[in-house]
Amino acid sequence: MKYEFTIIVPVYNEEDNLDRVEKELSDYIKIASKKTKILFVNDGSTDKSQQIIEEICKRNEHFNFIQFVKNKGLSAAIKAGFDYADTELVGYIDSDLQTSPQDFNLLLQNIGKYDLVTGVRANRKDSFVKNMSSKIANSIRRAFTHDGMDDTGCPLKVIKTDYAKRIPMFKGLHRFLPAMILLQNGKIIQVPVQHFPRIAGNAKFGLWNRLLGPLADCFAYLWMKKKYINYEVINKS
């Protein structure tokens, strides 16, 4: 079967969400505009997530997984997904399902002439503190990166895989994916997507992760931008 699109699903202690993840992604596969498969990346979960993931993959031919030895963080999980993807397009969605897999079709409509399409969460259903800290963090990142993106933390993205594989990931870089595509002279766009409240499980990011941590990451990004190697091949034999 020739797949065109891989959806990466990072998982860290999400046992209460995984049955719903299976249903919603299975439903999406039936209506996907590209032939789609799912790749769970178990980021060292200590609950029953791995057991549930293996059961899901056994009963669904379009689902696969990789499992980390121990927790390495969201950026590492996304990088692993990029590394293992073998389709022309790759995307990811959080296992808390605060965004809808069905909105991948909105992003895929634009990927033809763009190299990354990211969602921007409309009418966010998060707490006031979380919304405000995210807005502040995004404004700081825009000042550093000039990527023009309003919501780089939105966990719904589609990227051309050859661009994704060239991203030199480090911890925290998942917030800078649009900027890293721009460093490759790629084209990016944002598209409004739905947003829902978290139904089960616990958020993995607090105030430090959303605000103070990303500020430090901005300086790491500036260093990388200065040192980044980009080239184009005009001919080969």
Side-chain angles (χ1 to χ4, degrees):
M1 186 177 297
K2 180 66 173 178
Y3 291 103
E4 303 168 285
F5 180 41
T6 300
I7 298 176
I8 300 163
V9 186
V11 176
Y12 179 60
N13 292 345
E14 292 285 0
E15 61 182 6
D16 294 330
N17 277 314
L18 289 173
D19 287 342
R20 192 163 61 95
V21 170
E22 176 188 13
K23 181 182 184 306
E24 293 208 19
L25 286 172
S26 295
D27 289 345
Y28 171 69
I29 285 173
K30 297 173 185 175
I31 63 162
S33 57
K34 302 284 185 181
K35 196 67 178 178
T36 300
K37 63 179 177 178
I38 312 301
L39 178 61
F40 288 112
V41 182
N42 184 356
D43 182 21
S45 296
T46 56
D47 62 0
K48 295 180 180 178
S49 291
Q50 181 60 28
Q51 175 185 336
I52 298 170
I53 287 171
E54 291 184 21
E55 292 170 354
I56 291 172
C57 292
K58 284 179 182 177
R59 58 180 175 255
N60 294 279
E61 64 173 330
H62 307 300
F63 287 65
N64 296 281
F65 73 87
I66 57 177
Q67 180 185 12
F68 285 1
V69 172
K70 59 181 179 180
N71 178 249
K72 288 294 184 177
L74 180 57
S75 291
I78 293 171
K79 173 176 169 46
F82 291 166
D83 290 343
Y84 280 81
D86 58 2
T87 52
E88 179 183 357
L89 299 173
V90 64
Y92 83 89
I93 187 171
D94 278 355
S95 49
D96 60 16
L97 288 182
Q98 287 194 256
T99 50
S100 170
Q102 296 195 21
D103 283 341
F104 273 120
N105 280 351
L106 296 176
L107 306 190
L108 289 168
Q109 288 176 9
N110 293 275
I111 197 63
K113 65 178 184 178
Y114 293 96
D115 305 299
L116 174 146
V117 185
T118 182
V120 55
R121 291 167 285 191
N123 301 313
R124 286 186 63 173
K125 302 300 190 295
D126 289 321
S127 68
F128 174 79
V129 171
K130 186 174 182 180
N131 284 337
M132 287 305 299
S133 61
S134 293
K135 286 182 179 179
I136 294 170
N138 276 300
S139 66
I140 293 171
R141 279 192 290 272
R142 280 196 304 272
F144 277 80
T145 64
H146 306 289
D147 61 11
M149 298 290 102
D150 296 315
D151 187 16
T152 60
C154 179
L156 200 72
K157 291 178 173 63
V158 174
I159 312 173
K160 291 179 178 174
T161 304
D162 56 343
Y163 280 83
K165 287 182 180 292
R166 291 196 296 264
I167 296 173
M169 296 286 282
F170 61 81
K171 188 175 182 179
L173 196 64
H174 62 273
R175 305 179 183 95
F176 294 84
L177 293 178
M180 296 307 298
I181 299 302
L182 290 178
L183 284 185
Q184 299 180 47
N185 297 320
K187 296 180 180 179
I188 62 176
I189 191 174
Q190 58 185 3
V191 175
V193 297
Q194 304 172 84
H195 190 247
F196 307 93
R198 176 183 268 271
I199 294 177
N202 298 310
K204 306 303 186 294
F205 293 94
L207 182 61
W208 167 260
N209 304 96
R210 288 193 299 267
L211 187 55
L212 301 180
L215 177 60
D217 293 339
C218 285
F219 291 99
Y221 166 78
L222 289 182
W223 179 88
M224 181 173 289
K225 181 178 181 180
K226 183 178 180 180
K227 302 291 185 179
Y228 187 74
I229 296 172
N230 194 29
Y231 64 87
E232 294 180 77
V233 174
I234 192 172
N235 199 2
K236 66 178 182 179
S237 64

